[in-house]
Amino acid sequence: MIKRPLKIGLTGGIGSGKTTISHIFQSLGIEVFNSDQYGKKAIEENKTVIKKIHQEFGEDIITNGHINKKNLSKIVFQDITKLRKLNNIIHPIVIQDFNKWYSKKTNHYIIKESALLFESKTFHNLDAIILIKAPVELRINRVYQRDNRSRSEILSIIKNQLKTKDIKEHTDYIINNNEKTLLTPKVIQLHKQLMNL
């Protein structure tokens, strides 16, 4: 019987450094499932998802037959109820994609990167969870430089994400990404711990 890899969740708010840390894990030979990328792909390519979003959010979010992600983002990050509705459309597809992806893996462990591990309730199916913490101002600066969003947009996204203090009790490892200490040694040390699980 094939021994399936351990499922390690990697989460943190916007701008905390999930992608950077995922890249370090990948450089160590660990495979990473990026939930956000699969969610974006569903919005762009999955006809059922596009139809449901169109029905839920109306004509304003359609441009040339495609979802206008900028318009959609403005709507959902100003209204937590609408954000939940969007997530309820996308999450089941991303879960299916993850299960298909995971079924082909044979490593000791894999990383499931997701900003919404807790909102999607998928954290229940993981063997351990890594939480990335970073100061709010640092996160705002990172997102501003990366996405060119306004400060108020970034703050509304942060406001709609779960607070670190609310999810800490469910996490097994914490990485402080505060730019005062190097990240790579922290990830290598954690990798060694995970290899011993």
Side-chain angles (χ1 to χ4, degrees):
M1 196 171 112
I2 298 169
K3 186 175 178 290
R4 287 276 161 237
L6 294 168
K7 299 174 189 170
I8 310 296
L10 179 70
T11 195
I14 189 168
S16 59
K18 293 183 296 298
T19 304
T20 302
I21 287 170
S22 287
H23 287 157
I24 299 170
F25 274 111
Q26 285 172 320
S27 74
L28 297 168
I30 301 303
E31 293 190 72
V32 175
F33 179 92
N34 184 316
S35 302
D36 193 35
Q37 281 177 4
Y38 278 86
K40 282 176 183 164
K41 190 178 170 201
I43 289 173
E44 288 164 7
E45 299 175 15
N46 187 303
K47 287 183 172 59
T48 307
V49 168
I50 293 166
K51 188 180 173 187
K52 283 181 181 175
I53 293 172
H54 187 183
Q55 286 170 341
E56 185 65 55
F57 296 98
E59 292 300 325
D60 289 349
I61 54 100
I62 300 291
T63 305
N64 301 326
H66 297 283
I67 302 287
N68 183 319
K69 292 203 283 276
K70 195 155 190 168
N71 289 356
L72 181 61
S73 180
K74 276 182 188 165
I75 293 167
V76 298
F77 285 116
Q78 286 169 359
D79 186 333
I80 190 76
T81 310
K82 287 178 178 169
L83 179 61
R84 285 190 185 123
K85 282 179 178 172
L86 176 64
N87 287 336
N88 287 339
I89 294 169
I90 298 169
H91 284 156
I93 304 300
V94 176
I95 289 166
Q96 280 175 23
D97 287 338
F98 172 74
N99 290 337
K100 200 188 296 180
W101 177 89
Y102 176 76
S103 69
K104 300 181 177 86
K105 303 303 166 195
T106 55
N107 326 45
H108 181 69
Y109 74 91
I110 55 88
I111 295 280
K112 183 183 186 185
E113 178 194 330
S114 173
L116 303 171
L117 279 185
F118 293 92
E119 290 89 336
S120 64
K121 304 287 188 282
T122 52
F123 74 98
H124 291 300
N125 304 319
L126 302 172
D127 297 294
I129 294 170
I130 303 163
L131 171 65
I132 307 165
K133 285 170 59 181
V136 172
E137 280 304 319
L138 187 56
R139 291 167 58 194
I140 291 168
N141 288 337
R142 283 177 185 153
V143 179
Y144 179 75
Q145 287 166 18
R146 182 188 74 197
D147 298 350
N148 202 19
R149 292 178 187 265
S150 69
R151 183 181 174 86
S152 60
E153 267 186 289
I154 299 164
L155 282 169
S156 72
I157 293 170
I158 289 172
K159 186 173 69 105
N160 282 318
Q161 292 184 328
L162 287 175
K163 305 289 173 280
T164 299
K165 62 182 174 57
D166 298 328
I167 57 180
K168 261 170 84 173
E169 64 181 280
H170 298 290
T171 60
D172 304 278
Y173 308 95
I174 293 175
I175 294 176
N176 286 304
N177 184 12
N178 52 21
E179 294 192 344
K180 288 177 184 170
T181 50
L182 292 171
L183 262 185
T184 303
K186 292 179 186 178
V187 177
I188 290 171
Q189 186 184 2
L190 182 50
H191 169 66
K192 286 175 183 169
Q193 287 177 262
L194 294 171
M195 288 303 287
N196 286 323
L197 289 179

